[in-house]
Amino acid sequence: METGTATLAPTRAHARHVASDIDCDAFVRDIYEQYGPLLVRYAARLLDGDWHRAEDVLQETAARAWKHARFLSARGEHIRPWLFTVARNLVIDHHRARRVRPLDLMPVEDLDTSWDGTESTITSHAVLEAMGELKEQHRTVIRLMYYLECSVAQAAEHLGIPPGTVKSRAFYAVRALRKALERQGVLGM
């Protein structure tokens, strides 16, 4: 019976862990009070005035400080550079992520509801059919210049022909594609 009550009683290590968590919470509270406004202004300046994102940066900085509270609390006054470095790195990460995913979500009201994906799909299918009617050299030039967005010089290098020949083939290829689309009824005559 005594062994059962002994295991239910908190150990000294557990008591120290609870006390240290309370110390960590107080540490984070102090960070918000002392450095919160400064960090938000700093992050907002780096984020071109986006105060909401700057507040997110402050929260993430405080969360990281909380994770390292035992290490940082011993540093005393030297915590400020660490906090500003973390905030700066978070802003850099935000900018990098925006470069990778540049599109923001937009409200439904701003969407163009007149766009119909069906028409676009049918047009794409018609263009592919018309491409099948072209000569191989015309298809190749259109693929290089319009689908792969190669420059005239890049297409010329790839095909091993002069740039003037690429321009000429592209002109005649587009003209032949237009005629094929007119025959299909996609383009008006």
Side-chain angles (χ1 to χ4, degrees):
M1 180 96 174
E2 288 179 32
T3 57
T5 55
T7 57
L8 294 176
T11 63
R12 279 190 219 165
H14 178 70
R16 267 189 306 217
H17 182 68
V18 170
S20 66
D21 285 346
I22 293 170
D23 292 342
C24 290
D25 292 343
F27 174 71
V28 170
R29 203 172 311 111
D30 289 341
I31 287 175
Y32 270 102
E33 289 172 6
Q34 288 181 359
Y35 303 106
L38 295 171
L39 286 168
V40 168
R41 274 194 305 248
Y42 176 70
R45 205 172 34 237
L46 295 176
L47 292 165
D48 299 322
D50 186 352
W51 286 91
H52 296 289
R53 182 67 187 134
E55 289 172 352
D56 292 343
V57 168
L58 170 63
Q59 288 179 356
E60 181 61 28
T61 302
R64 291 184 184 191
W66 179 76
K67 287 180 184 176
H68 304 306
R70 289 186 182 100
F71 166 73
L72 293 173
S73 61
R75 293 182 69 186
E77 292 297 316
H78 301 290
I79 189 172
R80 180 184 167 121
W82 187 90
L83 292 170
F84 278 85
T85 300
V86 169
R88 183 177 149 272
N89 290 341
L90 289 169
V91 169
I92 289 170
D93 290 346
H94 171 73
H95 286 302
R96 286 180 182 154
R98 293 284 303 231
R99 238 181 302 151
V100 172
R101 299 175 262 118
L103 297 178
D104 283 334
L105 296 177
M106 60 176 24
V108 175
E109 298 83 29
D110 294 345
L111 291 175
D112 181 12
T113 56
S114 64
W115 181 79
D116 184 13
T118 307
E119 183 178 332
S120 175
T121 303
I122 290 171
T123 303
S124 296
H125 182 69
V127 169
L128 286 175
E129 249 182 64
M131 287 280 290
E133 296 178 21
L134 300 179
K135 296 178 186 176
E136 180 59 36
Q137 65 183 6
H138 287 166
R139 275 197 305 268
T140 304
V141 167
I142 287 178
R143 281 189 191 117
L144 286 171
M145 294 188 66
Y146 298 102
Y147 286 111
L148 299 176
E149 299 178 354
C150 292
S151 67
V152 172
Q154 291 170 331
E157 183 180 330
H158 178 75
L159 296 171
I161 58 176
T165 305
V166 171
K167 290 179 186 178
S168 175
R169 283 188 190 174
F171 173 80
Y172 289 111
V174 169
R175 192 166 82 173
L177 182 61
R178 181 180 302 275
K179 286 181 182 177
L181 289 171
E182 286 172 353
R183 282 193 300 275
Q184 290 181 8
V186 175
L187 292 179
M189 292 187 182

